[in-house]
Amino acid sequence: MNEIGSNGTPFLEEPSYTPKPQRTGPAPVDAAALLGDMGGDTYQKPQQTQSRYQQLSDEQIAILQQQRAEKGQPPYTDEEIAELKAEYIERQRLQAQQQAFAQQSAQSSVLLEEATYVAPEKKKPEALPQVDASALLEEAAPQPERRVSFDQADIEAAKKAAAKRASESLKEAPPAKDPAEARRQMEALRQQQLADLAQAGFPVSIILTVVGVIAGLFMALFASRPFPADMEVNAFFNIASKFYLYGGIVLAILAITIVLRVQALKGFTSFMFGASSVLLLIPGIVILLNKKAAEGFGLTCGFFIIAIVCCFVVTFVISTSDKLNAYYGKKEIMYD
């Protein structure tokens, strides 16, 4: 809300200082230069004295000092008061020059358009605009520093509440499990995993049984293939052929024990298939070469190769498959 001084000049309650504005408008134009010498009369520029401008009164300065003291700021010094007064007058002078320049421009445009010059009526000087003295302050009042304080009673209450919550959380914690119960649960979990593996090993046992039967059958077919008609078959070839023939029958029978989960024959089955794959190479390769000239040698080679591959597959899977081992390890086994 504006206050009224002793000389009737209003000023704001909360003044703020702003730097001295730089003059950006055009320089004042001398009307006498535009009018020239009209009828022998010389136009004289009126003299503007400092008495035309309003001054900051002592009452206004006292009120500004009081407002500054209420905000906790130091009072204005003599130099600051003098600068405020000069700035107050300078602002009035600038506004007066701008109004005079506007009037002179309007008068000059009329003179240029009309053929004859008509002297403008002399008007009384208008009242100078009021300048807000509060805009002369340099900076706003500083904000008081905020300090957060806690009551000691509040701190103690917060500590007790935290301790109570911690105690309640410990009471709600689940009790520790019995070691025996934990071991029992772990054992049950392990048995369940083994049961799942054994269930997955059943299809593997079926496939491996089929592969083992094929290995024994093709080994017997390879032994039954004839030698060339003009070849003299000695005792070595006769014994080897009979070994492959009966060995193939044994392999087919052992392959059936895989699906039956005969735990006692597991190791023997793996050994027999591994040994058969080696014996088919040596001396089986010698027998194969001697049957080269016989009729149907390509079929003989097929039986030989398939028998070796199937024997190796059965040996490898029985030795490495965890699913098949779990299938063999099930409790409900018919033959032990």
Side-chain angles (χ1 to χ4, degrees):
M1 182 175 181
N2 295 343
E3 300 288 345
I4 305 300
S6 61
N7 58 354
T9 303
F11 60 91
L12 290 179
E13 186 178 16
E14 296 291 336
S16 60
Y17 181 81
T18 56
K20 191 172 183 180
Q22 299 295 330
R23 182 181 300 171
T24 58
V29 180
D30 191 357
L34 296 175
L35 297 176
D37 190 4
M38 296 296 181
D41 295 332
T42 302
Y43 176 79
Q44 298 293 333
K45 183 178 180 180
Q47 298 292 330
Q48 296 182 354
T49 61
Q50 190 172 356
S51 61
R52 294 184 56 193
Y53 305 105
Q54 298 178 0
Q55 301 285 336
L56 281 176
S57 63
D58 295 339
E59 181 182 355
Q60 292 174 320
I61 295 175
I63 294 175
L64 291 175
Q65 293 282 27
Q66 182 180 358
Q67 294 176 352
R68 191 173 178 88
E70 291 176 354
K71 296 180 179 181
Q73 299 178 351
Y76 291 109
T77 61
D78 295 339
E79 290 79 4
E80 291 177 343
I81 293 174
E83 186 177 355
L84 290 174
K85 290 181 178 180
E87 183 68 19
Y88 187 66
I89 294 174
E90 179 65 17
R91 290 200 175 191
Q92 298 178 72
R93 187 182 66 80
L94 290 175
Q95 292 186 5
Q97 286 183 355
Q98 292 177 358
Q99 290 184 355
F101 176 75
Q103 293 177 358
Q104 291 172 3
S105 299
Q107 293 172 1
S108 300
S109 62
V110 173
L111 292 176
L112 293 176
E113 293 178 358
E114 296 181 357
T116 59
Y117 169 72
V118 179
E121 296 180 359
K122 293 184 179 180
K123 298 181 180 180
K124 294 181 180 181
E126 298 179 357
L128 296 175
Q130 302 295 330
V131 179
D132 187 5
S134 63
L136 301 177
L137 289 179
E138 183 175 2
E139 58 184 6
Q143 296 293 333
E145 183 181 359
R146 294 183 178 181
R147 294 182 178 179
V148 181
S149 61
F150 296 96
D151 190 3
Q152 186 66 25
D154 295 338
I155 296 176
E156 294 297 330
K159 290 181 179 179
K160 291 180 179 179
K164 182 178 180 181
R165 288 195 299 269
S167 177
E168 292 177 353
S169 63
L170 291 176
K171 292 180 180 178
E172 295 176 357
K177 293 184 178 180
D178 186 11
E181 180 66 18
R183 287 193 298 269
R184 188 189 65 79
Q185 292 180 359
M186 290 297 295
E187 181 64 21
L189 179 61
R190 189 181 68 85
Q191 292 296 333
Q192 181 62 36
Q193 293 176 349
L194 290 176
D196 294 339
L197 282 176
Q199 186 176 2
F202 177 67
V204 177
S205 68
I206 295 176
I207 296 174
L208 205 61
T209 298
V210 174
V211 174
V213 171
I214 293 174
L217 179 61
F218 278 44
M219 184 175 176
L221 291 175
F222 167 70
S224 64
R225 295 300 296 173
F227 286 95
D230 56 349
M231 177 182 173
E232 183 180 356
V233 180
N234 54 24
F236 171 76
F237 292 115
N238 287 327
I239 294 174
S241 297
K242 289 180 181 180
F243 173 79
Y244 290 140
L245 178 61
Y246 296 121
I249 296 173
V250 172
L251 292 181
I253 295 173
L254 290 176
I256 298 175
T257 63
I258 297 175
V259 73
L260 296 178
R261 294 182 304 180
V262 182
Q263 181 71 29
L265 296 178
K266 178 186 175 184
F268 180 71
T269 302
S270 177
F271 171 77
M272 286 299 297
F273 277 94
S276 297
S277 61
V278 175
L279 293 175
L280 279 171
L281 286 175
I282 303 171
I285 192 68
V286 178
I287 297 175
L288 179 64
L289 293 176
N290 282 276
K291 293 183 179 182
K292 183 177 180 180
E295 184 179 357
F297 179 71
L299 189 60
T300 304
C301 289
F303 291 153
F304 176 77
I305 295 173
I306 293 175
I308 292 177
V309 172
C310 289
C311 288
F312 177 78
V313 169
V314 172
T315 304
F316 179 78
V317 173
I318 291 177
S319 302
T320 60
S321 177
D322 292 335
K323 295 179 180 180
L324 190 63
N325 292 334
Y327 178 72
Y328 267 103
K330 290 187 70 174
K331 300 291 185 180
E332 56 277 11
I333 295 178
M334 295 175 59
Y335 308 97
D336 285 330

